[in-house]
Structures are given as C-alpha cells and as structure tokens.
Amino acid sequence: MGFDQYHEPAHELSAETRTFARMVASLTEEAEAIGWYEQRISVEPDAQARAIMQNAQHEEFKHFAMDLEYLTRRAPKLRVALKGVLFTEGDIVAAGESAEEAEEGVDD
Ligand SMILES: [Fe+2]
C-alpha cells in the first residue's frame, strides 16, 4: 500500500491521525483478505486446501475485529454507530438511522 493511505500531507497529520489512518488501512486489508478467502474457498475442490484457507480466513476475522475495536476506542461516534447496528435483529437500515441519531449526542 505504501504511503497512499494518507489523503493529506503526512507531515501535517498528528501521530494519532497517522496511526488511525494506518489502522483504517489495515481494517480494509483484513476485509479484502476475508473476501478473497471466501472466493478461493468457494471454488477450491481439495478439502484439505479448503480447510487451510478456512482456518486462515478465521484468522482474518480476528484481525478485522481487533482493528475495528482499536478504531472504535478512538472514535466515540463510530462506537455509538456500531453499538446501534451490530448484533441487532430486524431491519438494518432502521438500526442505522437510529444509530445516526444517537451519534448526535456524542462528542467527536
Ligand atoms: Fe490479517
């Protein structure tokens, strides 16, 4: 990925913002890996190869979760949004709308 996770001059960004951007890039990479494994697993005819890739994909789930948790600890509104949407039942869009309203009461 190089340095292209920054959209502003890196030297103008605080260390905290650079770390946040790195973790967002990492989250994106973990999500991509999850999707790539999903595709590979779906077409792989060899059961042992499929099992290894499934094991690897499970690792990526953990990496994704850790990256996301890191980010939510540094972005209070993101945390509120996730609390309002994740692990809920029913209409996801409605949960998102409610979560967005809940964000309004939280400082950045
Ligand atoms: Fe990973």
Side-chain angles (χ1 to χ4, degrees), residues 71-82:
L71 292 168
T72 67
R73 292 183 185 189
R74 281 146 187 85
K77 288 192 178 202
L78 173 59
R79 192 167 197 86
V80 169
L82 293 176

Side-chain angles (χ1 to χ4, degrees), residues 21-93:
R22 287 184 201 110
M23 292 305 288
V24 168
S26 180
L27 182 77
T28 300
E29 291 163 3
E30 304 302 351
E32 287 176 340
I34 290 166
W36 293 333
Y37 279 121
E38 190 71 17
Q39 293 178 53
R40 291 172 187 156
I41 291 163
S42 77
V43 297
E44 178 54 59
D46 184 287
Q48 184 68 87
R50 233 179 13 257
I52 292 167
M53 289 188 284
Q54 285 169 333
N55 182 281
Q57 188 190 42
H58 298 163
E59 285 287 310
E60 305 305 347
F61 290 157
K62 178 188 71 180
H63 298 162
F64 182 90
M66 292 190 300
D67 286 351
L68 186 59
E69 178 61 19
Y70 179 92
L71 292 168
T72 67
R73 292 183 185 189
R74 281 146 187 85
K77 288 192 178 202
L78 173 59
R79 192 167 197 86
V80 169
L82 293 176
K83 279 185 174 178
V85 174
L86 296 181
F87 313 112
T88 59
E89 301 290 331
D91 187 82
I92 296 170
V93 173

